[in-house]
Amino acid sequence: MRKIVVFLVMGILFLFSSCTKEPIPAESLPTGIDYSLNTSGSSNYGQLSAIGKPLPEGTISRKRVNYPHTLGYDVYNGEPIEVSLEVLASETPIYTEGYMVFVEGIPILSKIKVDGVMREKEKYMHIVDHREETTTNVNLYFEPLGFQKEEIVEFYIAYIFTPSYIPYEYYPLYGNTHKIMNAPSSPVKIERGSDSTTKKMALFPSRTYEIPNEIYKMYEHEDGTNYLDSDPIVELYDGSGNQIVQQMGANGYTDLKIKLYGGNSTQYRLTLLIDQQPVLISGKDYLEVTLEKGTTAEFDFTIDISELDRKSTIMAVAVPYEDTFQRYITHSVPVLLINLDKPQAEEDIVPPEYKYAE
């Protein structure tokens, strides 16, 4: 699979040691939970509308039907892990949804079966169409390779709502339609370790600093609590430090910044995705960072876009790993990336006032 090379302005500092986590007791796991997403992209974890019954308009409901309730975790013994889902879309002609798998924050290749038909090709993301009031049976298969026997690792399935670029007449950008559902992690016990182990390699951010007071106050609630005390945020900026929903590139390159801040002191694996494909960073599909509570980690990138089409989408995804209070995927608003070196079509024209995020 083609990888996109990134020249990352940072140095390698040290190695993280592996950490084995305790399995989650079966009695503490959710039973029969639906994972639902409405058309605005907000998620409702634990909504109890049953599969097969009418849902509120603009909602997708997902239910895992082979959850390992007895053990409390999946077991990897050399055969692919299978996650079987029943997916129901409410009253709308069609929903398009993407599926990605992260293991310990690392994006991995997987296979998919849709309504009994296996798609042979392994991919980082699979796109599935869901028709209104119709249950779609989705089976994902993946192998958590590179971990030691007896380790307990966490995997996430990222449900990507509207994964393809769709221009809109009054808001011809990408971020207003593309969302990742905030689904929690699930544990896997490694019964058969692979020959190689996952390298725990830390990459130093371009800079680290305290969250600016004006930013911190933006997330303060009326009761005095603050969103940033418990929840992280990841954002994309252009090379000048302006937050963006559209980015231009020319002469084969474009400059970006990623900012990760908020939440508890947590270790993250940060992946940059272009058209839902991991960008190669210093020889890997991800970079690692330990984010201390109350601080911002900022990264500078120069991205080679010479092989990209005129229109692409770019997004940063931060996934926690090892011992952490944070068990949810965090992602930036997707950015429409325009390669100015490629010919322009009429539908590519975006008014300049839409360039920067409000």
Side-chain angles (χ1 to χ4, degrees), residues 7 10 28-29 47 64 100 111 125 258 274 294 324 342:
F7 301 93
M10 58 181 69
S28 67
L29 293 168
Q47 184 174 339
R64 181 170 180 180
M100 288 188 71
K111 285 189 175 182
M125 187 190 70
I258 294 179
I274 293 183
T324 176
K342 298 298 175 69

Side-chain angles (χ1 to χ4, degrees), residues 8-226:
L8 183 59
V9 186
M10 58 181 69
I12 299 176
L13 283 188
F14 56 91
L15 300 178
F16 281 125
S17 60
S18 300
C19 179
T20 302
K21 292 183 290 296
E22 293 298 323
I24 301 174
E27 59 270 19
S28 67
L29 293 168
T31 303
I33 294 287
D34 290 348
Y35 302 100
S36 301
L37 180 71
N38 62 31
T39 52
S40 66
S42 60
S43 58
N44 299 304
Y45 172 57
Q47 184 174 339
L48 296 180
S49 54
I51 293 288
K53 294 183 179 180
L55 298 171
E57 184 176 355
T59 299
I60 293 180
S61 180
R62 311 172 193 83
K63 179 180 179 181
R64 181 170 180 180
V65 295
N66 71 333
Y67 204 96
H69 293 288
T70 303
L71 294 173
Y73 49 80
D74 285 286
V75 174
Y76 176 66
N77 56 13
E79 296 295 323
I81 299 294
E82 178 183 0
V83 177
S84 300
L85 301 169
E86 289 181 345
V87 185
L88 177 65
S90 64
E91 296 179 7
T92 187
I94 196 166
Y95 274 106
T96 301
E97 191 169 39
Y99 296 83
M100 288 188 71
V101 179
F102 293 82
V103 177
E104 289 293 285
I106 302 171
I108 64 171
L109 292 168
S110 63
K111 285 189 175 182
I112 195 170
K113 182 192 294 183
V114 181
D115 287 334
V117 179
M118 178 69 79
R119 299 179 183 176
E120 293 299 325
K121 190 172 182 180
E122 281 190 314
K123 293 183 178 181
Y124 283 105
M125 187 190 70
H126 303 276
I127 295 179
V128 177
D129 293 329
H130 303 301
R131 298 190 177 277
E132 62 178 347
E133 301 299 339
T134 301
T135 298
T136 305
N137 296 297
V138 176
N139 302 78
L140 285 164
Y141 303 88
F142 65 92
E143 294 191 67
L145 300 175
F147 300 97
Q148 296 289 334
K149 186 176 180 179
E150 300 302 321
E151 270 194 282
I152 303 291
V153 299
E154 301 283 335
F155 76 87
Y156 298 77
I157 297 177
Y159 304 103
I160 304 173
F161 182 67
T162 315
S164 302
Y165 169 69
I166 301 175
Y168 282 81
E169 180 180 359
Y170 299 106
Y171 197 79
L173 296 178
Y174 188 68
N176 65 320
T177 61
H178 178 115
K179 305 289 181 182
I180 290 182
M181 184 185 165
N182 199 17
S185 64
S186 298
V188 176
K189 185 175 182 180
I190 308 299
E191 291 287 2
R192 179 179 173 181
S194 57
D195 294 335
S196 61
T197 58
T198 303
K199 294 181 179 179
K200 311 285 187 176
M201 190 171 293
L203 296 176
F204 186 65
S206 301
R207 61 195 62 85
T208 303
Y209 50 89
E210 290 187 4
I211 299 174
N213 189 54
E214 61 270 21
I215 299 296
Y216 187 77
K217 285 186 173 294
M218 288 173 55
Y219 293 93
E220 197 171 72
H221 301 304
E222 292 183 359
D223 61 1
T225 59
N226 195 293

Side-chain angles (χ1 to χ4, degrees), residues 177-292:
T177 61
H178 178 115
K179 305 289 181 182
I180 290 182
M181 184 185 165
N182 199 17
S185 64
S186 298
V188 176
K189 185 175 182 180
I190 308 299
E191 291 287 2
R192 179 179 173 181
S194 57
D195 294 335
S196 61
T197 58
T198 303
K199 294 181 179 179
K200 311 285 187 176
M201 190 171 293
L203 296 176
F204 186 65
S206 301
R207 61 195 62 85
T208 303
Y209 50 89
E210 290 187 4
I211 299 174
N213 189 54
E214 61 270 21
I215 299 296
Y216 187 77
K217 285 186 173 294
M218 288 173 55
Y219 293 93
E220 197 171 72
H221 301 304
E222 292 183 359
D223 61 1
T225 59
N226 195 293
Y227 178 87
L228 295 180
D229 288 339
S230 58
D231 294 275
I233 291 176
V234 59
E235 295 173 334
L236 284 175
Y237 294 76
D238 65 14
S240 301
N242 298 298
Q243 192 174 358
I244 50 175
V245 288
Q246 175 190 330
Q247 174 73 350
M248 301 291 189
N251 301 318
Y253 295 96
T254 192
D255 293 327
L256 285 173
K257 295 180 185 289
I258 294 179
K259 293 183 182 180
L260 177 65
Y261 60 94
N264 295 289
S265 296
T266 302
Q267 291 174 308
Y268 290 93
R269 286 196 170 106
L270 188 64
T271 298
L272 196 61
L273 299 173
I274 293 183
D275 290 337
Q276 284 72 59
Q277 301 299 310
V279 173
L280 194 64
I281 302 173
S282 297
K284 298 190 298 184
D285 291 331
Y286 60 94
L287 59 90
E288 295 183 358
V289 57
T290 298
L291 184 67
E292 299 295 336

